[in-house]
Each structure stands twice: as structure tokens, then as C-alpha cells.
């Protein structure tokens, strides 16, 4: 995981989020802590480090294992299938996400998405919950994702509560 962490650290450098001014690496660091609380594997931690690069198809050369790359790609496919955009504003229930997410996903991908959404929701609540133009949509978006991701027979609810 150290190699992948160094890759994203170099990629992000000193960049900060436009609206909050928070360093972009904060998302990775906090997400890794959430994943560790969920007993994530090294593959999961490494894939989380690379997810911003893979998700946005950034033109970055990096070295990683095939299992890490496959998990980061699965994450990309699932995350990009449901984004908070006007065309998804009609999604109000978790049951509506199942067809959108094209079937099931691995437990590893579920963990990555969970860590991502918990961390993003935390930043949203701190920096944007009262000012963002789409704050109502974002609140529903995060809630739907978190309910959907934690509602799985293989996802240990006690670990989810610990991470939250």
C-alpha cells in the first residue's frame, strides 16, 4: 500500500479542495482510517489510494498489482454509476440503486465506497451543508449510498457503526 499511497500523494501534492480549502490528501488519509476500522485488506487500502486517479481516468503512470487495479476499476464503475447529478434526482430509495449499480459488487468494493461516502459526507456536513446549491440532493445522495452499502448480509453492522 505504501507505493500506491506515495503515488496519490505525489499526484495530489499540495492541492486543496476548491470550496473548503482542505488538502486533497485529507480524503485519502481519513478514508484509510475508516477502512482500517473495517479491517480492510492491504489490497483494499491500496485501491482506495488510487481510486481518484482511476475513477477520473487521469493520465498518470503508476505501478500496482492486478488485484489492486481491478478493485480500483470496480470502484470506479460502481461510484460513477450513481453520482449526485440532476439526472439522478429522481432516485429516492435504495431499491432504485440496484439496477443503476448493475447487479452486485464485491465486499471489497463495498468497503471502499463506504469509506469514500462516509468521508465525503463528513466534509459536506462541515463545509457545505448550509451553503451548497444542491445541499438537499447531496444529503439524500449520501444517505442513500450509506444505507445501500451497509445493508448487506456480509457487511458487519457493528463495524459499520464503529466506522461512523
Amino acid at each position: 500500500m505504501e507505493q500506491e499511497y506515495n503515488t496519490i500523494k505525489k499526484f495530489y501534492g499540495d492541492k486543496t479542495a476548491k470550496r473548503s480549502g482542505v488538502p486533497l490528501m485529507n480524503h485519502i488519509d481519513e478514508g484509510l482510517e475508516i477502512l482500517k476500522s473495517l479491517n480492510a485488506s492491504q489490497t483494499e487500502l491500496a485501491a482506495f489510494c488510487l481510486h481518484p486517479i482511476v475513477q477520473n481516468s487521469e493520465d498518470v503512470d503508476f505501478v500496482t498489482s492486478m488485484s489492486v487495479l481491478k478493485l480500483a476499476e470496480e470502484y470506479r464503475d460502481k461510484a460513477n454509476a450513481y453520482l449526485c447529478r440532476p439526472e439522478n434526482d429522481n432516485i429516492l430509495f435504495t431499491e432504485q440503486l440496484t439496477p443503476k449499480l448493475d447487479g452486485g459488487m464485491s465486499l471489497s468494493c463495498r468497503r471502499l465506497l463506504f469509506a469514500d461516502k462516509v468521508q465525503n459526507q463528513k466534509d459536506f456536513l462541515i463545509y457545505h451543508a448550509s451553503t451548497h446549491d444542491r445541499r438537499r440532493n447531496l444529503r439524500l445522495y449520501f444517505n442513500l449510498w450509506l444505507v445501500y452499502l451497509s445493508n448487506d448480509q456480509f457487511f458487519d453492522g457493528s463495524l459499520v457503526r464503529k466506522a461512523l
Side-chain angles (χ1 to χ4, degrees):
M1 187 227 13
E2 187 176 333
Q3 178 174 282
E4 291 83 2
Y5 184 84
N6 290 334
T7 297
I8 191 66
K9 190 171 183 175
K10 181 179 177 186
F11 176 71
Y12 276 160
D14 293 331
K15 294 177 190 167
T16 59
K18 290 176 187 170
R19 293 183 181 164
S20 67
V22 174
L24 294 179
M25 276 305 294
N26 190 62
H27 175 67
I28 301 300
D29 293 333
E30 289 184 0
L32 290 174
E33 288 306 311
I34 294 165
L35 284 168
K36 288 173 185 175
S37 77
L38 297 172
N39 302 320
S41 69
Q42 289 297 304
T43 297
E44 291 166 343
L45 297 173
F48 189 82
C49 289
L50 295 177
H51 86 268
I53 293 170
V54 174
Q55 183 176 8
N56 297 318
S57 302
E58 299 287 350
D59 188 19
V60 175
D61 289 329
F62 59 87
V63 176
T64 193
S65 71
M66 185 55 72
S67 60
V68 168
L69 181 59
K70 283 186 162 199
L71 180 54
E73 289 174 339
E74 180 187 5
Y75 168 91
R76 174 202 59 215
D77 295 344
K78 299 305 181 185
N80 289 347
Y82 175 52
L83 299 169
C84 187
R85 293 189 173 154
E87 62 266 22
N88 290 325
D89 286 351
N90 65 322
I91 297 175
L92 304 174
F93 305 101
T94 56
E95 294 79 14
Q96 294 172 283
L97 294 180
T98 303
K100 194 98 172 126
L101 297 174
D102 194 30
M105 68 179 78
S106 70
L107 177 58
S108 291
C109 183
R110 194 172 286 268
R111 281 192 190 114
L112 267 60
L113 283 162
F114 183 81
D116 180 68
K117 300 311 173 197
V118 166
Q119 197 289 322
N120 282 334
Q121 182 185 50
K122 180 205 67 103
D123 280 357
F124 163 73
L125 292 172
I126 292 171
Y127 302 106
H128 310 297
S130 62
T131 59
H132 198 285
D133 292 344
R134 293 182 47 80
R135 59 187 169 271
R136 289 185 183 100
N137 306 88
L138 283 162
R139 192 175 302 275
L140 177 62
Y141 168 82
F142 288 123
N143 288 338
L144 284 173
W145 261 119
L146 293 173
V147 169
Y148 180 85
L149 293 167
S150 60
N151 186 20
D152 187 283
Q153 62 182 337
F154 302 109
F155 205 62
D156 185 338
S158 64
L159 292 175
V160 170
R161 286 186 293 281
K162 180 181 173 187
L164 293 173

